[in-house]
């Protein structure tokens, strides 16, 4: 229990630092974006044909964009301290409410993709390590080929074959359960290749260790050695790596979300940058930074639960 408290206390202090650093960095990045922010916001709000210098001036005064940047930075940091991220400049909706929907869509898709990749990659990695030979070499070649293929090409292939040619699933959308498998599979295929490699290497190391060989000399069956010694020791590095995969998924699914019209936070962040929706850009960056800290804390706690040696240390 003491180790868990230390982990969460450390992550809480990290969350505070992340909030400050990401808050300042996102403000600076938005300030450095080229073009007239007020004009871009007016175009996104009223349409390109209705955007004019007068409309841009109205937006500039309304949103306080005519104030000096130190004043606007102080206002933004004060909003972070009070958990008030403002409203979207385009939709007029509360940023926190929009982020809840977008993060929910992204996290749900990421968890499904991670589960599929574990279902595919972990058993194959164990079998590759234990069998070796031609099966292992074939798996290495397949994993390298999959990792070299961009995610959008995998997604397009699945979309053309499964959605367009066979008509089994919708090509895009979010309005039904049938819309989930294609984007999740697109992400899972690439992740499964890496999970397979990490599991293979971890199993190979554990199988050759002295304690594993000693278990065999005691007379344990190979299945018992695999369950009690190999898989338990492999669990910690595999779980840690899958936690890294989950963080990468949540923060890096922009291409897949755009391809399948998925209303996730990456897709929304792209539209916010194009529209110069400053509160949405800053809120999305802050949410992703804090989510990174939360996921790391969860992975640390899970690894601690799997490996009692960490609790003793």
């Amino acid at each position: 229990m003491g180790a868990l408290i230390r982990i969460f206390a450390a992550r809480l202090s990290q969350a505070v630092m992340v909030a400050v650093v990401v808050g300042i960095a996102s403000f600076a990045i938005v300030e450095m974006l080229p073009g007239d922010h007020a004009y871009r916001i007016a175009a996104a709000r009223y349409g390109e044909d209705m955007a004019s210098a007068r409309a841009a001036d109205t937006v500039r005064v309304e949103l306080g964009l005519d104030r000096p940047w130190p004043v606007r930075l102080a206002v933004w940091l004060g909003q972070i301290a009070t958990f008030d991220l403002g409203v979207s400049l385009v939709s007029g909706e509360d940023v926190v409410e929009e982020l809840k929907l977008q993060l929910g869509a992204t996290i749900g898709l990421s968890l499904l993709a991670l589960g599929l990749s574990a279902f595919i990659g972990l058993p194959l990695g164990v079998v590759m390590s234990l069998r070796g030979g031609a099966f292992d070499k074939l798996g290495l070649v397949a994993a390298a080929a999959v990792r070299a293929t961009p995610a959008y090409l995998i997604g397009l292939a699945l979309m053309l074959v499964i959605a367009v040619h066979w008509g089994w699933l919708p090509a895009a959308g979010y309005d039904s359960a049938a819309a989930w498998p294609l984007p999740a599979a697109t992400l899972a295929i690439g992740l499964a290749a890496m999970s397979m490699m990490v599991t293979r290497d971890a199993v190979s190391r554990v199988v050759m260790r002295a304690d594993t060989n000693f278990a065999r000399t005691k007379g344990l069956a190979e299945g018992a050695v695999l369950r009690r010694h190999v898989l338990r020791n492999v669990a910690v590095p595999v779980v840690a790596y899958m936690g890294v995969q989950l963080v990468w998924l949540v923060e890096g699914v922009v291409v897949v979300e755009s391809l399948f019209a998925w209303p996730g936070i990456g897709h929304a962040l792209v539209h916010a940058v194009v529209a110069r929706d400053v509160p949405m850009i800053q809120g999305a960056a802050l949410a992703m930074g804090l989510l990174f800290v939360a996921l790391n804390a969860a992975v640390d706690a899970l690894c601690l639960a799997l490996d009692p040696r960490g609790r003793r240390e």
Side-chain angles (χ1 to χ4, degrees):
M1 183 61 69
L4 284 176
I5 293 175
R6 287 194 297 272
I7 287 176
F8 287 115
R11 295 306 183 189
L12 182 60
S13 63
Q14 287 181 5
V16 174
M17 290 187 290
V18 165
V20 174
V21 172
V22 172
I24 295 174
S26 61
F27 180 88
I29 291 171
V30 169
E31 286 294 307
M32 290 187 293
L33 288 175
D36 186 349
H37 293 357
Y39 188 89
R40 296 291 300 177
I41 294 168
R45 182 182 291 182
Y46 307 119
E48 291 286 348
D49 54 339
M50 298 296 293
S52 63
R54 178 176 295 179
D57 289 338
T58 301
V59 169
R60 187 175 290 106
V61 174
E62 174 192 346
L63 302 178
L65 298 178
D66 55 339
R67 292 180 294 181
W69 69 263
V71 175
R72 287 183 281 119
L73 175 60
V75 171
W76 164 234
L77 293 178
Q79 289 177 325
I80 294 177
T82 58
F83 303 100
D84 176 18
L85 302 183
V87 297
S88 169
L89 303 183
V90 177
S91 67
E93 300 292 331
D94 188 77
V95 170
V96 173
E97 295 302 319
E98 291 206 8
L99 289 176
K100 287 180 182 178
L101 297 175
Q102 295 157 4
L103 272 177
T106 295
I107 292 175
L109 180 62
S110 300
L111 289 175
L112 180 58
L114 190 68
L116 287 174
S117 72
F119 180 77
I120 298 170
L122 302 189
L124 285 177
V126 173
V127 174
M128 285 172 59
S129 177
L130 297 180
R131 289 190 59 178
F135 186 85
D136 184 41
K137 294 178 181 178
L138 182 63
L140 292 174
V141 172
V146 170
R147 290 300 300 165
T149 305
Y152 72 88
L153 286 182
I154 297 175
L156 285 174
L158 293 176
M159 188 184 296
L160 289 174
V161 174
I162 297 177
V164 177
H165 184 66
W166 292 341
W168 290 354
L169 295 170
Y174 179 69
D175 54 352
S176 67
W180 289 70
L182 281 184
T186 300
L187 294 169
I189 289 173
L191 294 178
M194 287 304 299
S195 298
M196 182 173 66
M197 295 298 300
V198 170
T199 305
R200 170 192 175 273
D201 293 342
V203 171
S204 298
R205 288 194 298 268
V206 174
V207 164
M208 299 301 296
R209 281 176 15 181
D211 56 334
T212 306
N213 291 325
F214 180 70
R216 294 190 182 96
T217 62
K218 290 193 303 182
L220 286 179
E222 198 62 32
V225 172
L226 179 65
R227 290 191 306 272
R228 298 181 188 178
H229 296 272
V230 176
L231 295 183
R232 290 185 64 181
N233 284 280
V234 166
V236 174
V238 170
V239 166
Y241 179 74
M242 292 185 70
V244 174
Q245 281 189 323
L246 183 58
V247 172
W248 177 85
L249 275 174
V250 172
E251 297 188 350
V253 295
V254 178
V255 173
V256 174
E257 287 181 350
S258 299
L259 180 64
F260 290 96
W262 196 263
I265 193 168
H267 187 54
L269 184 57
V270 171
H271 285 278
V273 171
V274 172
R276 296 298 194 275
D277 193 347
V278 178
M280 280 300 302
I281 296 172
Q282 295 172 330
L286 180 63
M288 293 171 75
L290 294 178
L291 183 62
F292 177 83
V293 176
L295 290 176
N296 273 300
V299 171
D300 288 345
L302 185 56
C303 290
L304 196 65
L306 290 171
D307 188 356
R309 291 172 297 183
R311 294 194 292 270
R312 291 195 298 269
E313 292 170 0

